[in-house]
Amino acid sequence: MERRVYLTGVATAGATLIAGCSGGGANAVVSGSTNYEETWDVDLEEGDELELEVTLEDGLYALGSVSRRDNGDGVASIETEEQTTVTDQFTAPETVDYFVVLQVEEGGEASLTLRHTDE
């Protein structure tokens, strides 16, 4: 009997830990980090109100951007040369496929979150 209680406790703690580490909240479209470059595909609809957030945790430079998949046109971009968090709010201009890129100067570490602000 004690074994079942112990296993239930371990499973609950593990699930809580995993949920806490996934971050970004329910309104996150993309959330991740890298020490070089990472790209994510996202589907956005015209009129979606979004916030792009980049945190430079270590290093000299980080750039986060959102661009249209079909023609590469950028719709939002933020950069930082300080170990801080920067944000930019924007509205998706059309319902098309987009991609999000986080670039970090070699040897650094940064994280990016793209979240809906209209939910």
Side-chain angles (χ1 to χ4, degrees):
M1 182 69 173
E2 287 182 37
R3 181 172 180 240
R4 279 189 243 163
V5 172
Y6 173 76
L7 290 176
T8 301
V10 169
T12 302
T16 303
L17 179 63
I18 290 169
C21 290
S22 63
N27 59 352
V29 177
V30 169
S31 185
S33 62
T34 186
N35 62 0
Y36 179 64
E37 182 175 312
E38 188 72 36
T39 302
W40 300 270
D41 291 325
V42 295
D43 296 325
L44 303 177
E45 295 184 12
E46 181 177 351
D48 282 354
E49 296 175 18
L50 302 143
E51 178 180 76
L52 179 62
E53 176 182 282
V54 170
T55 301
L56 180 59
E57 297 158 8
D58 186 28
L60 302 174
Y61 178 79
L63 169 70
S65 62
V66 180
S67 302
R68 291 173 55 127
R69 170 77 46 211
D70 59 350
N71 61 15
D73 287 350
V75 296
S77 177
I78 54 174
E79 59 185 301
T80 182
E81 294 179 353
E82 298 179 16
Q83 293 180 7
T84 188
T85 298
V86 292
T87 61
D88 183 29
Q89 294 189 353
F90 69 99
T91 302
E94 294 185 59
T95 301
V96 296
D97 294 333
Y98 293 86
F99 66 97
V100 179
V101 177
L102 174 60
Q103 297 172 316
V104 184
E105 188 170 294
E106 191 173 326
E109 179 76 23
S111 60
L112 175 144
T113 301
L114 176 64
R115 66 178 63 88
H116 285 280
T117 59
D118 55 355
E119 293 182 351

